[in-house]
Amino acid sequence: MQSLLASTSRFSAFVTKFSPRENCRHFLPEFTTFCSLRNERRTTLSKTWPVISWALLGSGFILGPLIDGIHSRVNLVVYQNGSIDLGPLHTNVWVPPVLGLFYLTVGLVQLFLDEKLPSGASEGTLGKTVASLIALILFIELSAEMYKAGVADNIEAYVLFAGAALIWFWLDRTWLGFALACIVGLGCPLAEIPIMKSFHLWYYPRANIELFGQGLVTWTLACYFVYTPFLINLSRWLKTYILSANEKDSERF
């Protein structure tokens, strides 16, 4: 009888030790901590996105026309209504706000995707942003010089699309980034069509394809494609920088 009572006592202790309720007590604090960190990250991002938006808009307003001027310098694009010349820079009064919206849209879309589909590559660094900017400028300069030299459109397209793929592999190497770059590369030239037809702000004098009655240059798709890794890295770095600055301010007070 005593041995039976002892066995029952040991069995009860075993059940208590390994019961689901006890396991949940060990698991719930970790799960609660994870959820609180996730909610804190979302709350912080929701509070800082206006600052990030203004930073992206300002970057596109200032930096965009300077990069675009590489193409207008060789008359790839000729500006019409609202055209202005600032020294060697040929641009249009509407180019800064248009490119500001371009930077803003692509940058916020990328940050939204990073939040919904987090990955290890969602942290931005200044070094990677600068590297992608240099790659973009060199790529635009190469396309301008080939256009100026009169290289055949199909040859230039082959070279630029191959270069764009290499830049993506070097700077991004994610299928999500590739998909976004393809959408930007296809969507932006199409978005130019109603602007050119309705407002006559610019045109391509040596267009090699016509869509909806408007001339375009096919290999500009590759230029927009290469633009995307830079905007991805820029938006991620701005988010990291702003969040870090806010954390330092909160610790100070």
Side-chain angles (χ1 to χ4, degrees), residues 150-173:
V151 176
D153 290 328
N154 60 335
I155 300 299
E156 183 165 2
Y158 294 147
V159 172
L160 293 180
F161 279 112
L166 289 175
I167 290 175
W168 164 80
F169 187 78
W170 173 44
L171 293 172
D172 187 87
R173 208 176 299 182

Side-chain angles (χ1 to χ4, degrees), residues 52 56 102-114 119 121-126 128-130 132-133 136 167-168 171-184 224-240:
I52 298 173
L56 288 169
F102 170 58
Y103 278 49
L104 172 64
T105 303
V106 178
L108 288 184
V109 167
Q110 182 58 51
L111 295 182
F112 174 80
L113 293 175
D114 284 342
S119 65
S122 60
E123 295 295 327
T125 63
L126 179 59
K128 202 168 184 179
T129 304
V130 172
S132 58
L133 175 60
L136 171 63
I167 290 175
W168 164 80
L171 293 172
D172 187 87
R173 208 176 299 182
T174 66
W175 288 115
L176 184 61
F178 182 83
L180 181 61
C182 289
I183 293 173
V184 172
Y224 281 113
F225 184 98
V226 174
Y227 227 123
T228 308
F230 165 63
L231 295 179
I232 290 174
N233 290 313
L234 175 64
S235 61
R236 285 173 172 172
W237 173 70
L238 286 173
K239 183 194 72 173
T240 302

Side-chain angles (χ1 to χ4, degrees), residues 14-126:
F14 175 82
V15 171
T16 302
K17 182 178 180 180
F18 293 98
S19 64
R21 181 174 296 179
E22 291 297 322
N23 289 338
C24 288
R25 289 177 183 175
H26 294 287
F27 171 74
L28 284 175
E30 298 180 1
F31 181 75
T32 305
T33 304
F34 171 78
C35 290
S36 62
L37 290 174
R38 187 175 181 183
N39 292 332
E40 181 181 357
R41 183 187 67 179
R42 287 186 174 181
T43 303
T44 306
L45 185 59
S46 66
K47 290 181 179 179
T48 57
W49 78 263
V51 181
I52 298 173
S53 299
W54 280 111
L56 288 169
L57 190 66
S59 300
F61 194 92
I62 297 173
L63 187 60
L66 298 177
I67 298 176
D68 180 72
I70 298 174
H71 276 166
S72 62
R73 187 192 70 221
V74 296
N75 291 325
L76 169 67
V77 57
V78 176
Y79 291 106
Q80 296 173 287
N81 296 337
S83 63
I84 55 174
D85 293 333
L86 300 175
L89 178 63
H90 307 292
T91 186
N92 189 290
V93 293
W94 290 103
V95 167
V98 168
L99 290 178
L101 290 175
F102 170 58
Y103 278 49
L104 172 64
T105 303
V106 178
L108 288 184
V109 167
Q110 182 58 51
L111 295 182
F112 174 80
L113 293 175
D114 284 342
E115 186 170 345
K116 296 299 180 181
L117 303 170
S119 65
S122 60
E123 295 295 327
T125 63
L126 179 59

